[in-house]
């Protein structure tokens, strides 16, 4: 393991977590020259050797050393009144803080004067290496990102690298950081990825369900008053032929009335993992008196936020491939490179959508207005509804204004889903808390298209078409050819 460490780092092996060695793809980049690795008094073994090769790799809790003088902290929404009347910064742990939604959220909360820690195994970057994918935008390492944030703002974001499926690692993280709120993005979030083959389906459910269970137990054991803000998905509901309520529905049956969890009709192993999460969280709120907010998020688009615009090293990822890319982001990239827009089947599939700037706004609102002890709240987190055909039409018109010749092509639908259906989902609770939506406008589409044009030389057109079939998934591991 000595080859992993740079000379300016000191290592405490007791703060490592366990990950399969194939997940240690960063090699010597795991420890950068300006990180300091914090020590712990936990006398725990972490490394098991077989022959000359390590079976487990060292994952560490790291924070950055100062790159410039720290700026004066201004009081903001991250402060709350402590006993005695003094102002105390809320401590927010962002699990999955290196990902698309997590990175933007971590920066936004830090900018709002919350004390922020990122917890991440960096496995999302590994998926790209395994599948031959890449973000449209060049993204810096998590260490460089956090150092740059410190340099630009004077604000420190703590970093814990490890797998929340390892409860020992998670327990140490909770005991070290002592969060007031946990924002949980730390799940495998792609439906197509979960449908590649048996091993990816199993990984998705194990990672998502067991990871969330560990978070629930960590809150119970170490921070019982902590508020869990969990990223769910509108995909839990499916496409029922009735209005979709926010988490609960009141029904009358045989003369009796009750309010029950809204029925779930998940459409992939990923979406099913989210349903399991919701059930587990609801149970622990009832049984243990936990407080939790489940944000059933629609499809996110966009890449820019005020914080990620501060410096190129803070830039967020943007996925356009058939596994991790979302509809509007994919269409804008396809238009930028002259590829026909790939509409699956009839194109009538309708979903809720929101700008990534609204994602971070919704999370902040949930943190600032926490659930009560024993309460499991469900908010539907989206701002507008569009069909795939409607999105394609909007991108076509916006592209023509920029001189792009945008065509649309119907391709065989790789998913098992209704292609024409009723869809009307309620989404009032976050508006009532103060959400001010960024609706999809011509100017926003123009900005997103120009962004795609700026980086179009990074597009691998072989990754645009869908390659994962819901019906053809099998037990045999699926390999990816270059």
């Amino acid at each position: 393991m000595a080859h992993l460490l740079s000379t300016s780092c000191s290592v405490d092996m007791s703060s490592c977590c366990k990950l399969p060695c194939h997940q240690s793809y960063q090699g010597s980049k795991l420890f950068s020259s300006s990180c300091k690795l914090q020590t712990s008094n936990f006398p725990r073994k972490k490394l098991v050797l077989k022959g000359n090769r390590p079976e487990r790799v060292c994952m560490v809790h790291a924070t950055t050393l100062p790159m410039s003088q720290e700026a004066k902290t201004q009081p903001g929404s991250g402060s709350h009144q402590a006993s005695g009347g003094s102002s105390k910064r809320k401590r927010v742990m962002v699990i999955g803080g290196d990902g698309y939604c997590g990175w933007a959220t971590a920066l936004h909360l830090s900018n709002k004067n919350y004390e922020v820690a990122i917890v991440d195994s960096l496995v999302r970057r590994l998926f790209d290496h395994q599948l031959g994918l890449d973000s449209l935008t060049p993204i810096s390492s998590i260490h460089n990102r956090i150092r740059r944030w410190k340099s630009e703002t004077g604000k420190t974001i703590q970093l814990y690298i490890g797998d929340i499926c390892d409860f020992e690692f998670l327990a140490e993280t909770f005991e070290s950081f002592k969060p007031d709120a946990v924002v949980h993005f730390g799940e495998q979030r792609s439906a197509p990825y979960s449908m590649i083959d048996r091993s990816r389906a199993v990984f998705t459910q194990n990672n998502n369900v067991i990871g969330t269970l560990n978070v629930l137990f960590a809150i119970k054991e170490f921070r019982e008053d902590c508020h869990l803000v969990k990223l769910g998905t509108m995909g839990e509901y499916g496409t029922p032929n009735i209005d979709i309520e926010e988490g609960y529905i009141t029904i009358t049956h045989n003369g009796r009335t009750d309010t029950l969890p809204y029925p779930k009709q998940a459409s992939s192993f990923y979406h099913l993992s989210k349903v399991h999460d919701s059930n587990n969280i609801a149970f622990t709120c009832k049984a243990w008196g936990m407080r939790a907010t489940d944000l059933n998020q629609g499809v996110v688009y966009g890449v820019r936020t005020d914080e990620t615009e501060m410096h190129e090293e803070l830039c967020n990822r943007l996925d356009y491939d058939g596994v991790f890319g979302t509809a509007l982001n994919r269409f804008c990239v396809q238009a930028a490179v002259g590829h026909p827009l790939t509409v699956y089947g009839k194109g009538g599939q309708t979903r809720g959508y929101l700008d990534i700037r609204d994602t971070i706004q919704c999370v902040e609102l949930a943190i600032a207005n926490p659930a009560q002890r024993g309460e499991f709240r469900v908010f539907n987190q989206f701002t507008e509804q569009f069909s795939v055909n409607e999105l394609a039409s909007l991108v076509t018109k916006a592209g023509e204004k920029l001189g792009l010749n945008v065509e649309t092509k119907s391709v065989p639908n790789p998913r098992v889903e209704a292609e024409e259906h009723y869809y009307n989902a309620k989404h009032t609770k976050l508006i009532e808390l103060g959400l001010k939506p960024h609706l999809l406008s011509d100017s926003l589409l123009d900005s997103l298209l120009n962004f795609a044009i700026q980086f179009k030389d990074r597009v691998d057109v072989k990754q645009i078409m869908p390659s994962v079939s819901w019906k053809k998934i099998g037990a045999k591991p699926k390999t990816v050819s270059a």
Side-chain angles (χ1 to χ4, degrees):
M1 292 293 291
H3 68 284
L4 288 177
L5 310 179
S6 67
T7 56
S8 60
C9 289
S10 60
V11 180
D12 166 33
M13 295 297 289
S14 67
S15 63
C16 298
C17 84
K18 301 171 184 177
L19 277 173
C21 61
H22 71 272
Q23 294 184 3
S24 63
Y25 72 96
Q26 284 193 319
S28 60
K29 291 194 291 184
L30 184 58
F31 303 105
S32 63
S33 60
S34 61
C35 74
K36 66 177 181 180
L37 309 182
Q38 297 194 349
T39 59
S40 165
N41 294 323
F42 286 80
R44 296 171 179 167
K45 50 93 178 108
K46 287 292 184 178
L47 186 63
V48 179
L49 295 178
K50 283 190 176 181
N52 294 323
R53 298 184 63 188
E55 187 182 53
R56 302 289 185 182
V57 301
C58 178
M59 287 294 184
V60 298
H61 164 207
T63 57
T64 60
L65 291 173
M67 293 183 68
S68 63
Q69 282 194 325
E70 187 161 344
K72 291 182 179 179
T73 300
Q74 299 296 324
S77 59
S79 300
H80 64 99
Q81 290 298 114
S83 57
S86 61
S87 181
K88 179 184 177 184
R89 294 171 67 198
K90 261 189 180 179
R91 303 172 68 84
V92 181
M93 176 184 291
V94 181
I95 301 175
D98 187 46
Y100 174 54
C101 292
W103 176 242
T105 300
L107 292 190
H108 179 73
L109 293 175
S110 177
N111 205 31
K112 290 290 187 176
N113 206 35
Y114 289 89
E115 191 166 343
V116 176
I118 286 175
V119 178
D120 206 300
S121 69
L122 309 184
V123 72
R124 174 64 188 87
R125 295 174 184 251
L126 174 64
F127 295 157
D128 279 353
H129 285 257
Q130 288 178 332
L131 299 177
L133 310 176
D134 202 358
S135 165
L136 174 73
T137 51
I139 54 173
S140 298
S141 72
I142 185 61
H143 302 88
N144 288 341
R145 281 176 152 187
I146 289 176
R147 281 197 297 271
R148 176 55 60 186
W149 179 248
K150 173 79 171 181
S151 177
E152 293 294 311
T153 67
K155 297 178 184 292
T156 298
I157 293 178
Q158 295 188 52
L159 174 63
Y160 298 81
I161 298 176
D163 187 351
I164 64 170
C165 289
D166 178 352
F167 188 75
E168 187 177 24
F169 159 76
L170 188 61
E172 286 194 26
T173 302
F174 263 76
E175 290 184 295
S176 170
F177 184 67
K178 297 178 172 58
D180 299 306
V182 171
V183 182
H184 186 13
F185 292 102
E187 299 198 321
Q188 193 294 100
R189 55 95 172 166
S190 164
Y193 186 90
S194 75
M195 302 299 293
I196 292 175
D197 55 28
R198 184 205 63 85
S199 66
R200 266 85 173 206
V202 170
F203 170 84
T204 298
Q205 298 230 342
N206 182 79
N207 180 81
N208 294 2
V209 179
I210 303 306
T212 299
L213 271 175
N214 280 349
V215 171
L216 294 170
F217 273 96
I219 292 174
K220 181 180 187 294
E221 291 295 315
F222 306 112
R223 299 291 290 178
E224 64 180 2
D225 200 44
C226 180
H227 177 210
L228 174 62
V229 179
K230 170 71 167 57
L231 255 290
T233 171
M234 289 296 294
E236 291 187 32
Y237 299 122
T239 54
N241 199 37
I242 58 173
D243 290 355
I244 297 173
E245 305 296 331
E246 296 202 63
Y248 298 91
I249 185 170
T250 300
I251 62 172
T252 299
H253 179 65
N254 290 341
R256 301 185 67 85
T257 300
D258 202 353
T259 298
L260 302 170
Y262 196 94
K264 306 296 176 68
Q265 300 182 72
S267 59
S268 72
F269 290 119
Y270 155 72
H271 290 104
L272 284 164
S273 76
K274 291 290 194 175
V275 174
H276 302 329
D277 286 339
S278 296
N279 290 332
N280 286 337
I281 298 169
F283 170 73
T284 57
C285 287
K286 181 186 294 185
W288 301 341
M290 293 182 59
R291 59 175 85 226
T293 301
D294 202 3
L295 299 176
N296 280 343
Q297 182 165 256
V299 184
V300 185
Y301 59 82
V303 66
R304 290 186 169 108
T305 65
D306 289 344
E307 292 79 17
T308 62
E309 286 282 87
M310 290 182 182
H311 192 277
E312 61 183 10
E313 282 194 305
L314 301 177
C315 187
N316 205 350
R317 69 179 304 122
L318 192 144
D319 300 302
Y320 63 89
D321 58 88
V323 177
F324 289 100
T326 56
L328 185 56
N329 287 349
R330 278 170 50 78
F331 283 174
C332 287
V333 173
Q334 290 167 11
V337 299
H339 191 287
L341 308 189
T342 53
V343 171
Y344 293 176
K346 296 179 180 178
Q349 302 93 321
T350 302
R351 302 291 187 269
Y353 289 81
L354 76 163
D355 190 303
I356 192 168
R357 292 172 295 179
D358 291 336
T359 290
I360 61 181
Q361 191 184 166
C362 290
V363 171
E364 185 188 4
L365 285 168
I367 294 170
N369 302 275
Q372 300 299 312
R373 290 295 299 269
E375 181 184 11
F376 177 58
R377 300 187 305 188
V378 181
F379 298 161
N380 290 345
Q381 183 170 302
F382 69 96
T383 57
E384 297 176 275
Q385 292 182 179
F386 298 101
S387 71
V388 174
N389 284 331
E390 288 171 336
L391 289 180
S393 176
L394 290 170
V395 171
T396 298
K397 292 176 182 177
E400 288 172 350
K401 292 179 181 178
L402 296 177
L404 301 175
N405 181 24
V406 184
E407 298 179 355
T408 298
K409 177 182 179 182
S410 176
V411 301
N413 193 345
R415 304 186 179 211
V416 176
E417 61 183 359
E419 295 178 2
E420 294 176 320
H421 56 84
Y422 176 81
Y423 197 83
N424 184 39
K426 305 294 180 60
H427 56 112
T428 61
K429 293 181 180 179
L430 285 161
I431 298 291
E432 291 168 359
L433 285 180
L435 173 64
K436 294 177 172 54
H438 297 82
L439 301 180
L440 186 58
S441 62
D442 290 344
S443 61
L444 191 145
L445 273 173
D446 181 82
S447 172
L448 192 52
L449 278 166
N450 275 303
F451 194 85
I453 292 169
Q454 177 185 350
F455 292 102
K456 70 177 184 178
D457 290 343
R458 289 177 52 85
V459 174
D460 179 359
V461 294
K462 297 192 301 296
Q463 304 298 340
I464 289 178
M465 293 298 291
S467 60
V468 179
S469 169
W470 264 229
K471 291 184 177 180
K472 294 180 181 179
I473 183 174
K476 183 179 179 181
K478 186 174 180 180
T479 58
V480 179
S481 58

